[in-house]
Amino acid sequence: MLHPRIKQTIQILISLAIAVWIFWFLYKDIEFNSLVEQIFSSNWAWIGLSLAIALGGYALRGWRWTLLIQENEGKKVTLSDAYHAVMVGYLANMIVPRAGEVARCGVLSRTNGISIGHLLGTVILERSIDLLFLIATILLAFLVENELFLNLAGQLVDLDNLGAKLVQNLPLLLGGILVFCLVIYFILRRFRDNGFIQKIQHFLRELYSGIKGISTLKNPMGFWLSSVVIWLIYFLTMYTVALGIQSTANLSSGEVLLVMVMGSIGMVAPVQGGIGTFHALVAFILIQLGISEVDGKIFAAIIHGTQVILVLVAGLISWVIMIQKPAWIKPDKS
């Protein structure tokens, strides 16, 4: 039986190896001079603006987090505290996938005396809401760029024949859906004591109660509006970079939205900082939009690289600030 730390180290190394391999496979045929030429020919005023917008997004994430944190223990969490903790979390994710959630809770618990359990609960709710917004953004991208979605699907299957067959076998299809739903229902009933099923049910219950609990916050409207603006900031970050690079400057807002969706999906992958997966998905969709393979890959490298540098610099600054703060000591009521 492997020691937990050894097992975790192996998992980290495997995820890093996969990320590096994907990145190498994508860029092994790209000449370094092409990348340098594209970097120097880009409009860095637009790219600089994208970095400023992204930094504002991190600050807004910190503010949204403060709305979820209860003030019945420890000392009040300021915007500055939450922002620096969020940046420490993003920095940790660059080293260990998914470690950022625990890291930001840990540093804030140390400086403000709030239990890690409570903070982790707020982060889980926050991530669940972000997942719902990602799904909504995917649906929005489909509505805006439905022709491209259908063209991509058409490359995989013959949609005309598929539609005709579905109409011909509609009763069988509806019956199959009904049987499938019944099977899922009976599986959930039969194995409701199974650990995996219980985890799913627990997650869904917690998500539902969490969403209901948002209405009891002091500023529920602020939470939902900030969530919308955060995703708008993701779009603006991508859009301003697209304007700064000659090969993507003519993309429509709907096409940039589609690129953003693919990049967001790539960042969800359990690898350090979305390395490799982000580049692969962004380059793929840009190629489908008519951008050359080389330009698509270079665009992905520029936007990801600049954001990584931003997180490293801002994250390190925030880490230094947080470790210099004294640990919170519970007041002696005696």
Side-chain angles (χ1 to χ4, degrees), residues 168-217:
Q168 292 174 3
N169 299 283
L170 187 59
L172 182 62
L173 176 65
L174 294 176
I177 293 174
L178 179 60
V179 170
F180 176 78
C181 292
L182 288 173
V183 168
I184 294 298
Y185 172 76
F186 284 116
I187 288 176
L188 293 176
R189 290 273 297 177
R190 172 66 179 80
F191 298 100
R192 61 178 177 269
D193 295 328
N194 179 272
F196 179 70
I197 298 296
Q198 285 184 335
K199 286 182 179 179
I200 294 176
Q201 292 175 335
H202 177 72
F203 170 76
L204 293 175
R205 283 195 298 267
E206 288 294 314
L207 176 60
Y208 176 70
S209 62
I211 293 174
K212 281 182 62 179
I214 291 173
S215 62
T216 64
L217 297 175

Side-chain angles (χ1 to χ4, degrees), residues 103-165:
R104 66 159 154 158
C105 293
V107 296
L108 199 61
S109 176
R110 173 187 168 275
T111 59
N112 291 69
I114 301 171
S115 68
I116 290 184
H118 170 64
L119 293 173
L120 281 174
T122 62
V123 171
I124 292 171
L125 174 59
E126 201 179 55
R127 289 305 186 190
S128 301
I129 297 299
D130 285 338
L131 177 61
L132 295 179
F133 271 89
L134 174 59
I135 294 171
T137 306
I138 293 172
L139 294 175
L140 177 62
F142 174 76
L143 292 175
V144 174
E145 292 291 332
N146 57 81
E147 290 186 9
L148 179 60
F149 269 95
L150 294 175
N151 287 337
L152 290 174
Q155 295 176 18
L156 301 175
V157 294
D158 188 341
L159 294 178
D160 293 333
N161 289 336
L162 178 64
K165 289 180 180 179

Side-chain angles (χ1 to χ4, degrees), residues 8 19 53 64 87 90 106-107 131 139 142-143 145 148 154 199 212 227 235 254 274 280 299 317 323:
Q8 184 183 42
I53 292 171
R64 185 182 69 167
M87 293 313 302
Y90 276 105
V107 296
L131 177 61
L139 294 175
F142 174 76
L143 292 175
E145 292 291 332
L148 179 60
K199 286 182 179 179
K212 281 182 62 179
S227 298
F235 169 77
F299 172 88
I317 292 172
I323 62 172

Side-chain angles (χ1 to χ4, degrees), residues 37-57:
E37 183 181 342
Q38 186 73 275
I39 289 174
F40 281 102
S41 64
S42 299
N43 187 332
W44 282 87
W46 283 115
I47 297 174
L49 178 60
S50 78
L51 294 176
I53 292 171
L55 199 58

Side-chain angles (χ1 to χ4, degrees), residues 1 3 10 30 45 69 84 124 129-130 177 185 192 208 217 219 231 265 291 293 307:
M1 190 70 176
H3 190 276
I10 292 173
I30 303 293
I69 298 173
H84 290 307
I124 292 171
I129 297 299
D130 285 338
I177 293 174
Y185 172 76
R192 61 178 177 269
Y208 176 70
L217 297 175
N219 189 0
W231 281 85
I265 295 172
I291 307 297
E293 181 179 347
Q307 292 296 316

Side-chain angles (χ1 to χ4, degrees), residues 73-86:
E73 58 176 313
K75 68 176 183 179
K76 182 178 180 180
V77 178
T78 65
L79 171 58
S80 176
D81 294 333
Y83 162 75
H84 290 307
V86 165

Side-chain angles (χ1 to χ4, degrees), residues 1-32:
M1 190 70 176
L2 288 175
H3 190 276
R5 286 198 172 185
I6 297 176
K7 184 178 179 181
Q8 184 183 42
T9 301
I10 292 173
Q11 291 174 338
I12 293 170
L13 292 175
I14 289 174
S15 67
L16 181 60
I18 292 172
V20 171
W21 181 83
I22 295 173
F23 187 86
W24 171 83
F25 183 79
L26 281 174
Y27 289 92
K28 61 184 175 68
D29 297 324
I30 303 293
E31 293 184 4
F32 182 72

